[in-house]
Amino acid sequence: MQVISKISRQKNNPERYNIYLNENFAFAVDEATLIKFGLTKGKILDQFEIDEINYEDEISKAFNRALHFLSYQMRSEYEVKKKLLDAGFVEAVILEAIRKLEKLGFLNDETYSKALLETKKKTAKKGPRAIKQDLIKKGIDKDTQIKVLDTFTYEEQVKIAMELAQKSIKANSTKTPMQIKQKVQDVLMRKGYSFSIVNEILDQIQLEREDEEWQQLIDIQGEKIWKKYTSKYIGSELHMKVKQALYQKGFPLEVIERFIDEKETQEHE
C-alpha cells in the first residue's frame, strides 16, 4: 500500500511539489496536477494512479516547455513538436500538450501562417511560390497553405514585384534594356513570383535609350569585349565575334557597327 506521507514545496521551484510515499521521495508534480488529483497527506495511491499522475505531470512539463518556447515568437505546430521531441518527451505526451496549447489559443497554424505571409511580403518581398516553400518548411498542411496564400492578391503581387523591379533597374543602370529585363526576370523568379506576374512587370517597364546613352553603354561594355577578343582574333573574324557578343547583350546593330568602325579607325591611326 502506497500512502502519501509528506508533501513539500521545492525550494528552487515553488510551483512544484515533492511527493513522498511511505516516507520515501516518489515523484514531483506541479500545483495544477496536485489539485487535479487531490493529492494530500494520508491519501492512498495504487500503481495505476501513480502512473496516471506521472503521465499528467509529463504533459504539464511539456506544455510549460512549449509555452516558454512560444514566448519568444510565434511558432508552428511542427516547430513546437520538434522542440519537445528534442527535449525528450514522448509522442503521446507531446500531442496532449499541443492539444492544450491549441485549446487555449497559444498555438494556431492558420494564424501563424498569416503572420508569416505578412512578414515575408513586407521584409523579403517574396512571392507566393517562395512563401509556400517557407510554409512547407514550417510543417504547415496543404489546405492551410492554400487558404493563406489565396489572400495574397494579384494586385498586391504586382505592386511588390514592381518595387523589386525598380530596385533592380536602378542597380543595373549601366546595362542595356535587354540585360536589365533579364536581371529583373531573374530577381522576380528567384523571389517566387509566377510567369504571369513577371510578364506583367516586364510589359510595364519602359527602358528606351537615347543615342547618347547607347554610346555610353557601349563604351563601357564594348571596350571589355573588344579587349577579350583581340587576344584571340583579328580582322573580320574579330569584328564578327565582337558584333555577336554585343548583339546578344541587346545593343542595336547601328550602335554596334558605329563602335566597330571607331575601333577600326583607331587601329589605323
Side-chain angles (χ1 to χ4, degrees), residues 154-217:
Y154 187 88
E155 292 73 21
E156 192 175 11
Q157 290 178 50
V158 170
K159 179 178 179 296
I160 297 174
M162 182 57 77
E163 291 173 2
L164 283 169
Q166 295 296 345
K167 185 177 180 180
S168 183
I169 291 169
K170 187 176 180 180
N172 293 282
S173 58
T174 60
K175 306 290 185 182
T176 67
M178 179 188 291
Q179 289 173 309
I180 291 174
K181 286 196 171 187
Q182 185 60 55
K183 290 286 186 182
V184 169
Q185 179 175 307
D186 291 345
V187 167
L188 296 183
M189 293 300 293
R190 191 168 62 251
K191 285 286 186 176
Y193 290 92
S194 65
F195 285 109
S196 60
I197 293 291
V198 173
N199 290 332
E200 174 89 12
I201 297 300
L202 294 179
D203 287 343
Q204 291 185 31
I205 292 174
Q206 299 297 323
L207 297 171
E208 298 300 325
R209 299 289 193 185
E210 300 294 333
D211 286 345
E212 185 178 336
E213 292 176 304
W214 277 118
Q215 189 60 48
Q216 291 174 346
L217 291 176

Side-chain angles (χ1 to χ4, degrees), residues 226-241:
W226 186 268
K227 286 181 179 180
K228 175 182 177 181
Y229 287 115
T230 48
S231 62
K232 301 177 182 179
Y233 307 99
I234 59 172
S236 59
E237 191 173 10
L238 168 63
H239 297 167
M240 180 186 71
K241 291 291 184 180

Side-chain angles (χ1 to χ4, degrees), residues 67-124:
L67 206 57
H68 180 71
F69 184 50
L70 288 164
S71 67
Y72 296 102
Q73 66 182 65
M74 292 179 70
R75 312 279 185 176
S76 67
E77 181 181 318
Y78 170 81
E79 289 177 292
V80 172
K81 184 176 181 180
K82 185 177 185 304
K83 184 73 173 179
L84 294 178
L85 281 170
D86 291 343
F89 292 100
V90 299
E91 185 90 13
V93 167
I94 292 170
L95 293 177
E96 288 294 336
I98 285 175
R99 191 175 294 114
K100 187 176 178 181
L101 288 164
E102 290 175 335
K103 185 178 179 180
L104 294 172
F106 293 118
L107 196 60
N108 185 303
D109 272 0
E110 185 175 335
T111 301
Y112 171 83
S113 299
K114 288 177 179 177
L116 182 68
L117 172 71
E118 291 303 317
T119 299
K120 295 300 180 181
K121 284 194 298 186
K122 292 175 182 177
T123 62

Side-chain angles (χ1 to χ4, degrees), residues 127-140:
R129 290 181 178 177
I131 295 174
K132 181 181 179 180
Q133 291 305 310
D134 290 328
L135 292 173
I136 290 173
K137 289 177 183 176
K138 298 298 184 181
I140 305 302

